[in-house]
Structures are given as C-alpha cells and as structure tokens.
Amino acid sequence: MSVQMREFGRTADGRVVTCYRITNASGAYVEVLDYGCTLHSICVPNRDGTLTDVCLGYDTVAEYEANDGYLGAFIGRHANRIGKGKFTLNGKEYSLAVNNGPNHLHGGMKGFDKVVWATAVASDRLLFSHTSPDGDEGYPGNLLLSLIYSFDDNNNLTLIYDAVCDADTVVNFTNHCYFNLSGQGTGTVTDHLLQVNADFFTENDADCLPTGKVLSVEGTPFDFRTPKAIGRDILLDEINLKNGSGYDHNFVLQGEGMRPVAELTAPKTGISVTTSTTQPGIQIYTANFLTDRKGKGGTAYGFRDAVCLETQHFPDAVHHENFPSAVLKKGEEYHQVTRYTFTLAK
Ligand code: BGC
C-alpha cells in the first residue's frame, strides 16, 4: 500500500484542496479529497484487467463547490431529509437550514461536504477530523468527528465514522458516492444488477420525505432480494416510484452489526461491489435528479447515470418513533462502519 498526495486546486476563498491516492499491491487505487472527504476516483480492474474508474466526480474544485448532487461527499450532520428543517429534542425546538423545498437535506447549506478536513496520512489510510461548532446549520452541541478511509489489497474500501458531542444532538452520516460500475461517464446504470437484503422500505411522500409507513417489498418494484436489473421495474406506473422519480428510498436492512447488505454488478465490465455496514438502512438513489453536466476527463453525466448506495439511519428519524433513533446523547460515542468490496462477478 502507498499513499501519494497532490494539490487538487483551491476553493473560491483560497483554501488548498489536496487529493490523496491510496494504491494497493495490484495497482488498484482510490482517490479522496480533503474537501468534503470526497471519494473522487475508485479505479479497480474490469474482467479484462483494465483499471476502470467506477465513481463519478469532477476535475476541478469549483465544480465540487457548485456540486448540487453531492458527488462522492461525506454527508452530515444529518444525511437525507428532516421534515420542515425542524425537530424537538429535550423539549426544545431546533430550526435547521432549509435547502430542499420545505425540508432540510444532507446537513444544510454548508454541510460537511463543504468543509476542508484536517487530514493525517498512514500507509493505507487517511484520517480526517473536524469540529462542528454548537449551532452549526442549526444543530445543537459541539460535535467532534473523526473518519478513517482505508483501502487494502483485497479492494476493500472501508469508511469508519466516529463522533462525540458535548450536548444531546442528532446525527446521521453517510457517503454519497455515485457508482457506475461500467465506468464513470459511460451512461445509464439501468443494466446493473442490484441485490439488497431488505424485506421492507420506508414510504415517501412527493417531496421524498418518509410518511412513517414501513412497507413490505413483496410483490412491489422494491423487491431486490434476488438480483434484478435496476431498470427492470423502474418505469412501472407505481406511486412510490413516481414520488421518487425512480428509486430514491430507504431500504430497511436485515440483521444488525457489520454484515453484507447489498451487491451491485455491471454486466458490461463484470465489476461488482458488495456493501457491508453497521447501519440500519440504505438509501438506494438512482440519480433521478442528476441534471446534465460535465464529469471527470470531459465525460458527460445525466439522469440515471449512477446509483448511490448510501448506508444510513432512516431519513427524518427524528419525527418517527418507529424508526431507529438518530439521537446522539451527550458524551455517547457514535461509531459506524461501511465497507465497499470490489470484486469480479463469477
Ligand atoms: C436523496 C435525493 C437527492 C440526492 C442528491 C439523495 O440522497 O435521497 O433525493 O436528490 O441525494 O441531493
């Protein structure tokens, strides 16, 4: 394993952004920016042995700063939506930045995706740290975060999130990598085979906000318990698909603790990614709101050109007692792990 670093560019306000590349013994590598702890590239071999970049991103800091789709970013304090940007904790109402219709999305106007993180480098891993002050985007408490991103010789990309707060607060962290296992910039992912260990998903309204209902996947387009092409049912005339303009839903993962939860495979390249996590849910988002734009190396990105596998607590958990709680108590240690393992399909 080795880590190389290069200056990637500068933010509009002059902060230097560094790109770190972790390369393993086979030559496969991941690149991560300290801006937003962003997964910038994931280059793994296809079935012919050619390194293929399976993660969408941009060539410049300016494009990441304008990034309306959160490409590759670490998301916090709270992934996905909080209804009306308000919640009550210990009898006190908190108002958050509202940045998605009437709701709060992905940490607000200046979430962790826009922070240049303090970074330390070891031989196979990057350690990122940040202190989010009391009141940041409306959230209570001083929150101390430390993240570890590692890559190993078995093409395991492991993301470890730790945090502690000096007051009761809510947290929900995820990574917003857009995967295209045929290679970034090669068009739609509707041919990708997806399998998700989930018997239930959480219903959304037309603003992609959970209604609180937990629905069975049985007999619905949301049944991915055996591998199915993402595009097979996506155009069906079904209310939940219509509300998300495709898949943009939280799946309730079977089991607890660190376990494999989903597998995605591109028939064209044979590249497969297995997602394992300690988290209770995963947002399967088929880039339904990804507007046309320029991607890395002059490629073009647009509608359904990627899929995000966002491990998480359920969206808007603060408003639904039947969802696992996203409350982090004062002094309690938050710890979640997600691993993306890249292999070749048999
Ligand atoms: C959300 C989508 C949103 C996208 C980009 C996903 O996690 O579920 O509704 O459009 O992020 O912001």
mmCIF file of all heavy atoms in Angstrom, residues 151-200:
data_model
loop_
_atom_site.group_PDB
_atom_site.id
_atom_site.type_symbol
_atom_site.label_atom_id
_atom_site.label_comp_id
_atom_site.label_asym_id
_atom_site.label_seq_id
_atom_site.Cartn_x
_atom_site.Cartn_y
_atom_site.Cartn_z
ATOM 1 N N PHE A 151 -7.998 1.538 2.210
ATOM 2 C CA PHE A 151 -8.137 0.694 1.019
ATOM 3 C C PHE A 151 -7.086 -0.388 1.155
ATOM 4 O O PHE A 151 -5.956 -0.105 1.549
ATOM 5 C CB PHE A 151 -7.894 1.546 -0.237
ATOM 6 C CG PHE A 151 -8.218 0.850 -1.529
ATOM 7 C CD1 PHE A 151 -9.472 0.287 -1.750
ATOM 8 C CD2 PHE A 151 -7.269 0.760 -2.550
ATOM 9 C CE1 PHE A 151 -9.773 -0.348 -2.957
ATOM 10 C CE2 PHE A 151 -7.565 0.139 -3.749
ATOM 11 C CZ PHE A 151 -8.819 -0.410 -3.956
ATOM 12 N N ASP A 152 -7.460 -1.653 0.854
ATOM 13 C CA ASP A 152 -6.480 -2.720 1.077
ATOM 14 C C ASP A 152 -6.245 -3.547 -0.183
ATOM 15 O O ASP A 152 -6.814 -3.269 -1.242
ATOM 16 C CB ASP A 152 -6.885 -3.584 2.293
ATOM 17 C CG ASP A 152 -8.089 -4.464 2.018
ATOM 18 O OD1 ASP A 152 -8.499 -4.605 0.851
ATOM 19 O OD2 ASP A 152 -8.631 -5.011 2.996
ATOM 20 N N ASP A 153 -5.408 -4.571 -0.046
ATOM 21 C CA ASP A 153 -5.024 -5.380 -1.211
ATOM 22 C C ASP A 153 -6.170 -6.231 -1.744
ATOM 23 O O ASP A 153 -6.063 -6.799 -2.836
ATOM 24 C CB ASP A 153 -3.823 -6.269 -0.854
ATOM 25 C CG ASP A 153 -2.538 -5.464 -0.780
ATOM 26 O OD1 ASP A 153 -2.501 -4.372 -1.393
ATOM 27 O OD2 ASP A 153 -1.585 -5.908 -0.114
ATOM 28 N N ASN A 154 -7.237 -6.370 -0.979
ATOM 29 C CA ASN A 154 -8.415 -7.116 -1.461
ATOM 30 C C ASN A 154 -9.504 -6.176 -1.986
ATOM 31 O O ASN A 154 -10.671 -6.562 -2.069
ATOM 32 C CB ASN A 154 -8.967 -8.007 -0.351
ATOM 33 C CG ASN A 154 -7.961 -9.073 0.042
ATOM 34 O OD1 ASN A 154 -7.355 -9.706 -0.829
ATOM 35 N ND2 ASN A 154 -7.745 -9.248 1.331
ATOM 36 N N ASN A 155 -9.098 -4.966 -2.329
ATOM 37 C CA ASN A 155 -10.039 -3.964 -2.869
ATOM 38 C C ASN A 155 -11.196 -3.667 -1.940
ATOM 39 O O ASN A 155 -12.339 -3.458 -2.376
ATOM 40 C CB ASN A 155 -10.557 -4.386 -4.259
ATOM 41 C CG ASN A 155 -9.445 -4.388 -5.303
ATOM 42 O OD1 ASN A 155 -8.396 -3.781 -5.110
ATOM 43 N ND2 ASN A 155 -9.676 -5.081 -6.399
ATOM 44 N N ASN A 156 -10.893 -3.673 -0.635
ATOM 45 C CA ASN A 156 -11.875 -3.234 0.370
ATOM 46 C C ASN A 156 -11.665 -1.752 0.641
ATOM 47 O O ASN A 156 -10.592 -1.352 1.107
ATOM 48 C CB ASN A 156 -11.655 -3.955 1.701
ATOM 49 C CG ASN A 156 -12.078 -5.390 1.662
ATOM 50 O OD1 ASN A 156 -13.237 -5.688 1.365
ATOM 51 N ND2 ASN A 156 -11.146 -6.291 1.941
ATOM 52 N N LEU A 157 -12.678 -0.968 0.354
ATOM 53 C CA LEU A 157 -12.666 0.452 0.717
ATOM 54 C C LEU A 157 -13.522 0.580 1.968
ATOM 55 O O LEU A 157 -14.735 0.342 1.928
ATOM 56 C CB LEU A 157 -13.265 1.276 -0.435
ATOM 57 C CG LEU A 157 -13.571 2.742 -0.159
ATOM 58 C CD1 LEU A 157 -12.316 3.520 0.217
ATOM 59 C CD2 LEU A 157 -14.234 3.382 -1.390
ATOM 60 N N THR A 158 -12.874 0.909 3.092
ATOM 61 C CA THR A 158 -13.582 0.917 4.379
ATOM 62 C C THR A 158 -13.668 2.336 4.911
ATOM 63 O O THR A 158 -12.661 3.057 4.944
ATOM 64 C CB THR A 158 -12.853 0.007 5.392
ATOM 65 O OG1 THR A 158 -12.709 -1.285 4.813
ATOM 66 C CG2 THR A 158 -13.633 -0.120 6.695
ATOM 67 N N LEU A 159 -14.865 2.721 5.313
ATOM 68 C CA LEU A 159 -15.121 4.064 5.848
ATOM 69 C C LEU A 159 -15.583 3.897 7.293
ATOM 70 O O LEU A 159 -16.589 3.232 7.555
ATOM 71 C CB LEU A 159 -16.213 4.752 5.033
ATOM 72 C CG LEU A 159 -16.085 4.687 3.505
ATOM 73 C CD1 LEU A 159 -17.295 5.338 2.830
ATOM 74 C CD2 LEU A 159 -14.805 5.369 3.028
ATOM 75 N N ILE A 160 -14.843 4.493 8.216
ATOM 76 C CA ILE A 160 -15.181 4.370 9.638
ATOM 77 C C ILE A 160 -15.498 5.769 10.165
ATOM 78 O O ILE A 160 -14.694 6.693 9.998
ATOM 79 C CB ILE A 160 -14.002 3.764 10.439
ATOM 80 C CG1 ILE A 160 -13.591 2.417 9.830
ATOM 81 C CG2 ILE A 160 -14.376 3.597 11.911
ATOM 82 C CD1 ILE A 160 -12.364 1.792 10.469
ATOM 83 N N TYR A 161 -16.664 5.901 10.766
ATOM 84 C CA TYR A 161 -17.101 7.211 11.257
ATOM 85 C C TYR A 161 -17.212 7.172 12.778
ATOM 86 O O TYR A 161 -17.928 6.331 13.325
ATOM 87 C CB TYR A 161 -18.488 7.568 10.712
ATOM 88 C CG TYR A 161 -18.671 7.465 9.214
ATOM 89 C CD1 TYR A 161 -19.924 7.133 8.679
ATOM 90 C CD2 TYR A 161 -17.633 7.725 8.313
ATOM 91 C CE1 TYR A 161 -20.127 7.059 7.307
ATOM 92 C CE2 TYR A 161 -17.834 7.646 6.946
ATOM 93 C CZ TYR A 161 -19.079 7.309 6.448
ATOM 94 O OH TYR A 161 -19.286 7.235 5.085
ATOM 95 N N ASP A 162 -16.530 8.090 13.454
ATOM 96 C CA ASP A 162 -16.650 8.227 14.909
ATOM 97 C C ASP A 162 -16.979 9.669 15.244
ATOM 98 O O ASP A 162 -16.469 10.601 14.598
ATOM 99 C CB ASP A 162 -15.327 7.835 15.589
ATOM 100 C CG ASP A 162 -15.168 6.334 15.651
ATOM 101 O OD1 ASP A 162 -15.841 5.705 16.481
ATOM 102 O OD2 ASP A 162 -14.404 5.788 14.820
ATOM 103 N N ALA A 163 -17.814 9.849 16.259
ATOM 104 C CA ALA A 163 -18.149 11.212 16.677
ATOM 105 C C ALA A 163 -18.575 11.215 18.132
ATOM 106 O O ALA A 163 -19.019 10.194 18.673
ATOM 107 C CB ALA A 163 -19.272 11.777 15.815
ATOM 108 N N VAL A 164 -18.433 12.374 18.748
ATOM 109 C CA VAL A 164 -18.916 12.563 20.126
ATOM 110 C C VAL A 164 -19.341 14.026 20.249
ATOM 111 O O VAL A 164 -18.768 14.907 19.596
ATOM 112 C CB VAL A 164 -17.830 12.136 21.155
ATOM 113 C CG1 VAL A 164 -16.613 13.052 21.101
ATOM 114 C CG2 VAL A 164 -18.394 12.049 22.561
ATOM 115 N N CYS A 165 -20.370 14.273 21.076
ATOM 116 C CA CYS A 165 -20.908 15.629 21.193
ATOM 117 C C CYS A 165 -21.017 16.023 22.668
ATOM 118 O O CYS A 165 -21.233 15.150 23.529
ATOM 119 C CB CYS A 165 -22.288 15.676 20.524
ATOM 120 S SG CYS A 165 -22.863 17.344 20.182
ATOM 121 N N ASP A 166 -20.904 17.323 22.962
ATOM 122 C CA ASP A 166 -20.980 17.768 24.364
ATOM 123 C C ASP A 166 -22.398 18.147 24.775
ATOM 124 O O ASP A 166 -22.602 18.744 25.831
ATOM 125 C CB ASP A 166 -19.994 18.927 24.610
ATOM 126 C CG ASP A 166 -20.324 20.167 23.794
ATOM 127 O OD1 ASP A 166 -21.317 20.138 23.027
ATOM 128 O OD2 ASP A 166 -19.587 21.168 23.905
ATOM 129 N N ALA A 167 -23.374 17.819 23.906
ATOM 130 C CA ALA A 167 -24.802 18.021 24.229
ATOM 131 C C ALA A 167 -25.590 16.964 23.465
ATOM 132 O O ALA A 167 -25.074 16.395 22.496
ATOM 133 C CB ALA A 167 -25.246 19.412 23.806
ATOM 134 N N ASP A 168 -26.813 16.713 23.870
ATOM 135 C CA ASP A 168 -27.657 15.814 23.086
ATOM 136 C C ASP A 168 -27.873 16.444 21.708
ATOM 137 O O ASP A 168 -28.110 17.655 21.598
ATOM 138 C CB ASP A 168 -29.017 15.619 23.757
ATOM 139 C CG ASP A 168 -28.912 14.818 25.055
ATOM 140 O OD1 ASP A 168 -27.790 14.395 25.407
ATOM 141 O OD2 ASP A 168 -29.955 14.631 25.703
ATOM 142 N N THR A 169 -27.811 15.624 20.668
ATOM 143 C CA THR A 169 -27.969 16.132 19.298
ATOM 144 C C THR A 169 -28.517 15.020 18.423
ATOM 145 O O THR A 169 -28.870 13.947 18.929
ATOM 146 C CB THR A 169 -26.620 16.692 18.777
ATOM 147 O OG1 THR A 169 -26.854 17.437 17.577
ATOM 148 C CG2 THR A 169 -25.598 15.611 18.530
ATOM 149 N N VAL A 170 -28.639 15.276 17.126
ATOM 150 C CA VAL A 170 -28.992 14.199 16.199
ATOM 151 C C VAL A 170 -27.894 14.108 15.139
ATOM 152 O O VAL A 170 -27.347 15.131 14.719
ATOM 153 C CB VAL A 170 -30.371 14.394 15.518
ATOM 154 C CG1 VAL A 170 -31.500 14.357 16.526
ATOM 155 C CG2 VAL A 170 -30.419 15.663 14.696
ATOM 156 N N VAL A 171 -27.563 12.891 14.746
ATOM 157 C CA VAL A 171 -26.553 12.683 13.702
ATOM 158 C C VAL A 171 -26.966 11.519 12.805
ATOM 159 O O VAL A 171 -27.623 10.578 13.252
ATOM 160 C CB VAL A 171 -25.140 12.377 14.266
ATOM 161 C CG1 VAL A 171 -24.527 13.570 14.924
ATOM 162 C CG2 VAL A 171 -25.162 11.198 15.192
ATOM 163 N N ASN A 172 -26.544 11.607 11.581
ATOM 164 C CA ASN A 172 -26.780 10.546 10.609
ATOM 165 C C ASN A 172 -25.792 10.773 9.477
ATOM 166 O O ASN A 172 -25.971 11.677 8.679
ATOM 167 C CB ASN A 172 -28.230 10.628 10.090
ATOM 168 C CG ASN A 172 -28.558 9.494 9.146
ATOM 169 O OD1 ASN A 172 -27.838 8.511 9.050
ATOM 170 N ND2 ASN A 172 -29.670 9.636 8.427
ATOM 171 N N PHE A 173 -24.724 9.991 9.464
ATOM 172 C CA PHE A 173 -23.676 10.211 8.461
ATOM 173 C C PHE A 173 -23.780 9.182 7.340
ATOM 174 O O PHE A 173 -24.120 8.028 7.567
ATOM 175 C CB PHE A 173 -22.272 10.058 9.080
ATOM 176 C CG PHE A 173 -22.003 10.955 10.251
ATOM 177 C CD1 PHE A 173 -21.098 10.564 11.228
ATOM 178 C CD2 PHE A 173 -22.628 12.186 10.378
ATOM 179 C CE1 PHE A 173 -20.832 11.379 12.328
ATOM 180 C CE2 PHE A 173 -22.368 13.007 11.471
ATOM 181 C CZ PHE A 173 -21.471 12.601 12.441
ATOM 182 N N THR A 174 -23.425 9.635 6.134
ATOM 183 C CA THR A 174 -23.338 8.696 5.020
ATOM 184 C C THR A 174 -22.284 9.177 4.038
ATOM 185 O O THR A 174 -21.692 10.241 4.216
ATOM 186 C CB THR A 174 -24.700 8.545 4.301
ATOM 187 O OG1 THR A 174 -24.652 7.374 3.456
ATOM 188 C CG2 THR A 174 -25.049 9.733 3.430
ATOM 189 N N ASN A 175 -22.045 8.349 3.044
ATOM 190 C CA ASN A 175 -21.204 8.759 1.928
ATOM 191 C C ASN A 175 -22.062 8.758 0.677
ATOM 192 O O ASN A 175 -22.882 7.861 0.481
ATOM 193 C CB ASN A 175 -20.022 7.807 1.749
ATOM 194 C CG ASN A 175 -19.212 8.220 0.551
ATOM 195 O OD1 ASN A 175 -19.506 7.814 -0.563
ATOM 196 N ND2 ASN A 175 -18.235 9.079 0.761
ATOM 197 N N HIS A 176 -21.870 9.786 -0.160
ATOM 198 C CA HIS A 176 -22.752 9.979 -1.316
ATOM 199 C C HIS A 176 -22.037 9.671 -2.627
ATOM 200 O O HIS A 176 -22.162 10.417 -3.605
ATOM 201 C CB HIS A 176 -23.289 11.415 -1.297
ATOM 202 C CG HIS A 176 -24.659 11.560 -1.862
ATOM 203 N ND1 HIS A 176 -24.976 11.219 -3.147
ATOM 204 C CD2 HIS A 176 -25.801 12.000 -1.292
ATOM 205 C CE1 HIS A 176 -26.256 11.462 -3.357
ATOM 206 N NE2 HIS A 176 -26.779 11.939 -2.248
ATOM 207 N N CYS A 177 -21.306 8.551 -2.652
ATOM 208 C CA CYS A 177 -20.608 8.143 -3.873
ATOM 209 C C CYS A 177 -21.623 7.724 -4.942
ATOM 210 O O CYS A 177 -22.565 6.985 -4.655
ATOM 211 C CB CYS A 177 -19.692 6.974 -3.544
ATOM 212 S SG CYS A 177 -18.673 6.492 -4.916
ATOM 213 N N TYR A 178 -21.427 8.214 -6.156
ATOM 214 C CA TYR A 178 -22.264 7.803 -7.293
ATOM 215 C C TYR A 178 -21.500 6.710 -8.043
ATOM 216 O O TYR A 178 -20.480 6.990 -8.674
ATOM 217 C CB TYR A 178 -22.495 8.983 -8.242
ATOM 218 C CG TYR A 178 -23.508 10.000 -7.772
ATOM 219 C CD1 TYR A 178 -23.269 10.809 -6.670
ATOM 220 C CD2 TYR A 178 -24.714 10.181 -8.457
ATOM 221 C CE1 TYR A 178 -24.200 11.751 -6.263
ATOM 222 C CE2 TYR A 178 -25.634 11.126 -8.057
ATOM 223 C CZ TYR A 178 -25.372 11.910 -6.956
ATOM 224 O OH TYR A 178 -26.285 12.849 -6.558
ATOM 225 N N PHE A 179 -21.999 5.490 -7.985
ATOM 226 C CA PHE A 179 -21.315 4.373 -8.638
ATOM 227 C C PHE A 179 -21.839 4.163 -10.060
ATOM 228 O O PHE A 179 -23.057 4.175 -10.300
ATOM 229 C CB PHE A 179 -21.551 3.070 -7.863
ATOM 230 C CG PHE A 179 -20.901 3.032 -6.505
ATOM 231 C CD1 PHE A 179 -21.641 3.239 -5.352
ATOM 232 C CD2 PHE A 179 -19.536 2.790 -6.376
ATOM 233 C CE1 PHE A 179 -21.047 3.207 -4.099
ATOM 234 C CE2 PHE A 179 -18.928 2.760 -5.127
ATOM 235 C CZ PHE A 179 -19.686 2.961 -3.985
ATOM 236 N N ASN A 180 -20.911 3.950 -10.973
ATOM 237 C CA ASN A 180 -21.254 3.404 -12.280
ATOM 238 C C ASN A 180 -20.188 2.353 -12.558
ATOM 239 O O ASN A 180 -19.041 2.685 -12.870
ATOM 240 C CB ASN A 180 -21.266 4.480 -13.372
ATOM 241 C CG ASN A 180 -21.735 3.898 -14.692
ATOM 242 O OD1 ASN A 180 -21.460 2.734 -15.004
ATOM 243 N ND2 ASN A 180 -22.454 4.679 -15.479
ATOM 244 N N LEU A 181 -20.544 1.089 -12.382
ATOM 245 C CA LEU A 181 -19.554 0.003 -12.445
ATOM 246 C C LEU A 181 -19.190 -0.351 -13.888
ATOM 247 O O LEU A 181 -18.294 -1.171 -14.113
ATOM 248 C CB LEU A 181 -20.061 -1.223 -11.682
ATOM 249 C CG LEU A 181 -20.402 -0.999 -10.197
ATOM 250 C CD1 LEU A 181 -20.833 -2.312 -9.541
ATOM 251 C CD2 LEU A 181 -19.240 -0.385 -9.417
ATOM 252 N N SER A 182 -19.848 0.278 -14.859
ATOM 253 C CA SER A 182 -19.401 0.141 -16.248
ATOM 254 C C SER A 182 -18.298 1.154 -16.537
ATOM 255 O O SER A 182 -17.679 1.121 -17.599
ATOM 256 C CB SER A 182 -20.557 0.392 -17.225
ATOM 257 O OG SER A 182 -21.579 -0.528 -17.020
ATOM 258 N N GLY A 183 -18.074 2.060 -15.600
ATOM 259 C CA GLY A 183 -17.093 3.132 -15.754
ATOM 260 C C GLY A 183 -17.804 4.467 -15.723
ATOM 261 O O GLY A 183 -18.875 4.624 -16.323
ATOM 262 N N GLN A 184 -17.228 5.424 -14.981
ATOM 263 C CA GLN A 184 -17.868 6.742 -14.879
ATOM 264 C C GLN A 184 -17.983 7.366 -16.268
ATOM 265 O O GLN A 184 -17.075 7.238 -17.093
ATOM 266 C CB GLN A 184 -17.084 7.635 -13.909
ATOM 267 C CG GLN A 184 -15.648 7.971 -14.296
ATOM 268 C CD GLN A 184 -15.517 9.272 -15.072
ATOM 269 O OE1 GLN A 184 -16.406 10.112 -15.060
ATOM 270 N NE2 GLN A 184 -14.388 9.441 -15.772
ATOM 271 N N GLY A 185 -19.130 7.984 -16.522
ATOM 272 C CA GLY A 185 -19.297 8.680 -17.793
ATOM 273 C C GLY A 185 -19.663 7.768 -18.954
ATOM 274 O O GLY A 185 -19.527 8.165 -20.114
ATOM 275 N N THR A 186 -20.128 6.536 -18.662
ATOM 276 C CA THR A 186 -20.497 5.623 -19.764
ATOM 277 C C THR A 186 -22.008 5.486 -19.906
ATOM 278 O O THR A 186 -22.487 4.571 -20.571
ATOM 279 C CB THR A 186 -19.885 4.219 -19.568
ATOM 280 O OG1 THR A 186 -20.412 3.658 -18.356
ATOM 281 C CG2 THR A 186 -18.371 4.257 -19.514
ATOM 282 N N GLY A 187 -22.766 6.364 -19.284
ATOM 283 C CA GLY A 187 -24.217 6.317 -19.479
ATOM 284 C C GLY A 187 -24.961 5.665 -18.336
ATOM 285 O O GLY A 187 -24.448 5.567 -17.217
ATOM 286 N N THR A 188 -26.139 5.210 -18.639
ATOM 287 C CA THR A 188 -27.081 4.775 -17.604
ATOM 288 C C THR A 188 -26.632 3.500 -16.863
ATOM 289 O O THR A 188 -25.895 2.673 -17.422
ATOM 290 C CB THR A 188 -28.473 4.543 -18.231
ATOM 291 O OG1 THR A 188 -29.368 4.108 -17.218
ATOM 292 C CG2 THR A 188 -28.428 3.521 -19.332
ATOM 293 N N VAL A 189 -27.127 3.373 -15.632
ATOM 294 C CA VAL A 189 -26.843 2.159 -14.846
ATOM 295 C C VAL A 189 -28.052 1.222 -14.793
ATOM 296 O O VAL A 189 -28.082 0.294 -13.985
ATOM 297 C CB VAL A 189 -26.413 2.487 -13.389
ATOM 298 C CG1 VAL A 189 -25.070 3.175 -13.361
ATOM 299 C CG2 VAL A 189 -27.488 3.292 -12.666
ATOM 300 N N THR A 190 -29.029 1.446 -15.649
ATOM 301 C CA THR A 190 -30.242 0.619 -15.570
ATOM 302 C C THR A 190 -29.962 -0.850 -15.885
ATOM 303 O O THR A 190 -30.775 -1.712 -15.556
ATOM 304 C CB THR A 190 -31.348 1.172 -16.495
ATOM 305 O OG1 THR A 190 -30.764 1.483 -17.755
ATOM 306 C CG2 THR A 190 -31.997 2.406 -15.914
ATOM 307 N N ASP A 191 -28.814 -1.142 -16.518
ATOM 308 C CA ASP A 191 -28.469 -2.559 -16.776
ATOM 309 C C ASP A 191 -27.785 -3.219 -15.570
ATOM 310 O O ASP A 191 -27.601 -4.436 -15.559
ATOM 311 C CB ASP A 191 -27.540 -2.674 -17.995
ATOM 312 C CG ASP A 191 -26.169 -2.034 -17.749
ATOM 313 O OD1 ASP A 191 -26.051 -1.138 -16.876
ATOM 314 O OD2 ASP A 191 -25.208 -2.424 -18.438
ATOM 315 N N HIS A 192 -27.393 -2.438 -14.557
ATOM 316 C CA HIS A 192 -26.698 -3.018 -13.404
ATOM 317 C C HIS A 192 -27.639 -3.932 -12.624
ATOM 318 O O HIS A 192 -28.817 -3.607 -12.432
ATOM 319 C CB HIS A 192 -26.221 -1.920 -12.438
ATOM 320 C CG HIS A 192 -25.007 -1.159 -12.895
ATOM 321 N ND1 HIS A 192 -24.756 -0.849 -14.202
ATOM 322 C CD2 HIS A 192 -23.972 -0.630 -12.178
ATOM 323 C CE1 HIS A 192 -23.624 -0.169 -14.288
ATOM 324 N NE2 HIS A 192 -23.124 -0.018 -13.070
ATOM 325 N N LEU A 193 -27.094 -5.042 -12.150
ATOM 326 C CA LEU A 193 -27.880 -5.952 -11.315
ATOM 327 C C LEU A 193 -27.699 -5.545 -9.865
ATOM 328 O O LEU A 193 -26.564 -5.367 -9.396
ATOM 329 C CB LEU A 193 -27.393 -7.398 -11.502
ATOM 330 C CG LEU A 193 -27.592 -7.965 -12.911
ATOM 331 C CD1 LEU A 193 -26.903 -9.314 -13.037
ATOM 332 C CD2 LEU A 193 -29.087 -8.091 -13.224
ATOM 333 N N LEU A 194 -28.808 -5.404 -9.165
ATOM 334 C CA LEU A 194 -28.768 -4.977 -7.770
ATOM 335 C C LEU A 194 -29.465 -6.013 -6.902
ATOM 336 O O LEU A 194 -30.528 -6.531 -7.272
ATOM 337 C CB LEU A 194 -29.477 -3.621 -7.622
ATOM 338 C CG LEU A 194 -29.600 -3.073 -6.196
ATOM 339 C CD1 LEU A 194 -28.224 -2.739 -5.613
ATOM 340 C CD2 LEU A 194 -30.478 -1.821 -6.178
ATOM 341 N N GLN A 195 -28.842 -6.292 -5.773
ATOM 342 C CA GLN A 195 -29.463 -7.170 -4.780
ATOM 343 C C GLN A 195 -29.346 -6.471 -3.428
ATOM 344 O O GLN A 195 -28.286 -5.936 -3.089
ATOM 345 C CB GLN A 195 -28.730 -8.517 -4.778
ATOM 346 C CG GLN A 195 -29.367 -9.601 -3.935
ATOM 347 C CD GLN A 195 -28.668 -9.715 -2.592
ATOM 348 O OE1 GLN A 195 -27.447 -9.650 -2.525
ATOM 349 N NE2 GLN A 195 -29.438 -9.876 -1.546
ATOM 350 N N VAL A 196 -30.447 -6.400 -2.688
ATOM 351 C CA VAL A 196 -30.460 -5.715 -1.383
ATOM 352 C C VAL A 196 -31.144 -6.611 -0.363
ATOM 353 O O VAL A 196 -32.252 -7.112 -0.609
ATOM 354 C CB VAL A 196 -31.229 -4.359 -1.444
ATOM 355 C CG1 VAL A 196 -31.123 -3.622 -0.111
ATOM 356 C CG2 VAL A 196 -30.717 -3.475 -2.574
ATOM 357 N N ASN A 197 -30.494 -6.809 0.777
ATOM 358 C CA ASN A 197 -31.068 -7.649 1.844
ATOM 359 C C ASN A 197 -32.078 -6.848 2.656
ATOM 360 O O ASN A 197 -31.820 -6.453 3.788
ATOM 361 C CB ASN A 197 -29.958 -8.159 2.774
ATOM 362 C CG ASN A 197 -28.993 -9.069 2.059
ATOM 363 O OD1 ASN A 197 -29.308 -9.616 1.007
ATOM 364 N ND2 ASN A 197 -27.806 -9.229 2.627
ATOM 365 N N ALA A 198 -33.212 -6.587 2.042
ATOM 366 C CA ALA A 198 -34.238 -5.792 2.717
ATOM 367 C C ALA A 198 -35.612 -6.347 2.380
ATOM 368 O O ALA A 198 -35.949 -6.512 1.206
ATOM 369 C CB ALA A 198 -34.150 -4.330 2.278
ATOM 370 N N ASP A 199 -36.407 -6.604 3.422
ATOM 371 C CA ASP A 199 -37.793 -7.069 3.243
ATOM 372 C C ASP A 199 -38.766 -5.893 3.262
ATOM 373 O O ASP A 199 -39.936 -6.050 2.926
ATOM 374 C CB ASP A 199 -38.177 -8.033 4.377
ATOM 375 C CG ASP A 199 -37.224 -9.221 4.445
ATOM 376 O OD1 ASP A 199 -36.986 -9.835 3.393
ATOM 377 O OD2 ASP A 199 -36.688 -9.500 5.542
ATOM 378 N N PHE A 200 -38.275 -4.738 3.688
ATOM 379 C CA PHE A 200 -39.144 -3.563 3.845
ATOM 380 C C PHE A 200 -38.426 -2.308 3.342
ATOM 381 O O PHE A 200 -37.199 -2.261 3.315
ATOM 382 C CB PHE A 200 -39.508 -3.345 5.325
ATOM 383 C CG PHE A 200 -40.241 -4.513 5.939
ATOM 384 C CD1 PHE A 200 -39.538 -5.505 6.616
ATOM 385 C CD2 PHE A 200 -41.618 -4.619 5.816
ATOM 386 C CE1 PHE A 200 -40.212 -6.594 7.164
ATOM 387 C CE2 PHE A 200 -42.289 -5.704 6.367
ATOM 388 C CZ PHE A 200 -41.586 -6.697 7.039
#
